[in-house]
Every structure is written in C-alpha cells, then in structure tokens.
Amino acid sequence: MPAPVLLVIAHGSRDPRHAATVHALVRRVRTLRPDVRVETGFLDFNVPSVPGVLESLATEGVRDVVALPLLLTRAFHAKADIPAVLADAPARLRVRQAEVLGPSPLLLTALERRLYEAGLSPADKSSTGVVLASAGSTDPEAIAVIAAIAREWRHTGWCAVRPAFASASPPRTEQAVRELRELGCARVAVAPYVLAPGRLPDRIARGAAGADVLADVLGPAPEVARLLVERYEAARTPVRMALGA
C-alpha cells in the first residue's frame, strides 16, 4: 500500500518570495522522504490551489492524503479555513489534517540557527536579549503560545526574550527592542518567528531597525523540514491503522 501523499498547505502571498521559500522547504522535505509524494497547495494568491491539488490527486486515483498546515500556531487558518477546504475534498479521498508546526523544540533550534547565521554565537547568549517576533493573531490561544515559547526560550540561556507581533496584538517589534535595551541587555537581536517572507515579516524587519541583529525567516531550515516529516508521520499513523497495515 503506497504511503499517503503529503499535501503541504501554505497561506500564499502576492510577494513572490513567499512561494519561492515554500517550494524550497518542500524540496528539502522531499530529500528527507524520497519515498513519499509531497505536493504543495496554497489557500490564496498562488497556484496550485488546495482544492485544485485535491481534485487532481483524486483524479489520479490517490486514496490517502495527509494535509499539513504550514502554520506555526493553531490560529484561524488552522481552525477554520483549512478544515473547511478539506471538508470539500472529493469523497473518494481520505484526508487527515496534521497538526500545525508549533510549538516544537526543533523550531527553537531553527531560530537559534538563524541568529547564529546573522552573526551571533553561543557565547553571546547570556548578554543578548531576543525579540521573538511573530506575525500576530486575534486568536488568544495563538498569542498565549507565542508568550509561552518566549518564556521557554529564555531558560536556554538568553539574557531575556520578549514576544512581539507584527499585527493584531501588542507589543510591536520596536517596542520589544526598546524594552530589552532598557533592561540592560548588551545587544538586542530580533528573531522572526515566521516561515516565509511577505508583508508582515517586512513589518518585523522595519521594527528591528534599532536592534543589533536581525535574523532571517525560518524558511527551509533543516529543522523545519524535519518537523514537517514528524507531523506527517504522526498524522499518517491512524491512516495505516484504518487500512489494517
């Protein structure tokens, strides 16, 4: 019995860097699991659309699909948009929605990778304050998760870690940078907790003007690719059990 198809569901953006980054991440996932067919679908702005991919898979005779939201928190898209799209999938498809990517220790490792690539070193941790800069959400659960991640990350040795948001909820990135300066951190770094470039990550970058270091988005970091595989494996298990495998 073939492995379920992994359908990576991205939000989509008018910014061409967004789709390019998503495709780079998916290519890395394919290298990790060459035995699994991996497809990409977008909710908006980009093609192929999620409904289009699902229809094509059904036409080909595919039976089992694991739909993996390329999201860091369980906000509106994970709770409403994606389930609604998947509910309209062709009846002959068995589709299971995987969990969102965050929170995960792998994401913290990826964040640190990006900070070190931007010029920091592990020796700088105790004197560096970090802004964990998220896109933001109106969902209280998503906001609480970001705050919890910041608290957890602080315990790994950073001078301080402050959450910030590019939209919806305060504080903004620039405010968190000021707070860390006032706290007395020798240097301040901004770590975007976002997967791909776009309008809100650009807003984070503008807010980081007063920081010493601005890391890149998570993008196709090796840890992110490994996490996609982990979420796929966790979601496909019930599919295998249902098939008696």
Side-chain angles (χ1 to χ4, degrees):
M1 189 66 78
V5 171
L6 169 55
L7 172 57
V8 177
I9 300 180
H11 182 273
S13 171
R14 292 186 179 89
D15 188 325
R17 297 173 299 167
H18 175 92
T21 302
V22 170
H23 291 311
L25 174 58
V26 168
R27 286 194 297 272
R28 177 157 261 167
V29 173
R30 289 188 180 118
T31 65
L32 294 177
R33 289 301 305 270
D35 58 316
V36 174
R37 179 176 175 179
V38 186
E39 299 290 344
T40 308
F42 296 90
L43 292 174
D44 206 354
F45 302 117
N46 302 105
V47 293
S49 68
V50 176
V53 175
L54 291 171
E55 187 62 44
S56 294
L57 292 173
T59 300
E60 292 178 31
V62 170
R63 294 296 303 277
D64 295 303
V65 177
V66 170
L68 199 165
L70 201 58
L71 300 169
L72 296 174
T73 60
R74 275 186 50 78
F76 181 79
H77 293 304
K79 295 177 179 178
D81 284 356
I82 292 176
V85 171
L86 298 181
D88 288 334
R92 53 193 176 278
L93 286 179
R94 289 187 290 246
V95 183
R96 182 170 182 83
Q97 182 175 332
E99 290 295 327
V100 298
L101 300 181
S104 168
L106 283 170
L107 292 175
L108 291 182
T109 303
L111 286 165
E112 294 200 352
R113 170 189 291 276
R114 293 303 190 223
L115 285 170
Y116 297 151
E117 289 172 349
L120 293 179
S121 73
D124 297 322
K125 291 184 75 168
S126 63
S127 59
T128 301
V130 179
V131 178
L132 180 67
S134 169
S137 173
T138 56
D139 189 314
E141 178 186 350
I143 297 302
V145 166
I146 299 300
I149 292 170
R151 289 193 297 272
E152 177 185 353
W153 203 15
R154 163 67 181 85
H155 295 312
T156 65
W158 296 101
C159 174
V161 179
R162 292 285 189 273
F165 307 95
S167 66
S169 300
R172 295 289 181 260
T173 303
E174 52 268 34
Q175 179 182 344
V177 169
R178 288 195 299 270
E179 290 177 359
L180 291 171
R181 292 284 188 209
E182 293 167 0
L183 193 62
C185 298
R187 65 182 62 79
V188 175
V190 173
Y193 190 62
V194 293
L195 288 165
R199 178 175 58 87
L200 293 179
D202 284 349
R203 187 178 297 173
I204 290 171
R206 290 193 296 272
D212 302 294
V213 173
L214 170 62
D216 199 357
V217 298
L218 294 170
E223 297 82 4
V224 179
R226 285 173 50 202
L227 184 53
L228 263 71
V229 172
E230 283 189 7
R231 294 290 188 255
Y232 168 78
E233 289 295 343
R236 70 174 286 201
T237 302
V239 175
R240 292 204 302 269
M241 291 173 60
L243 295 174

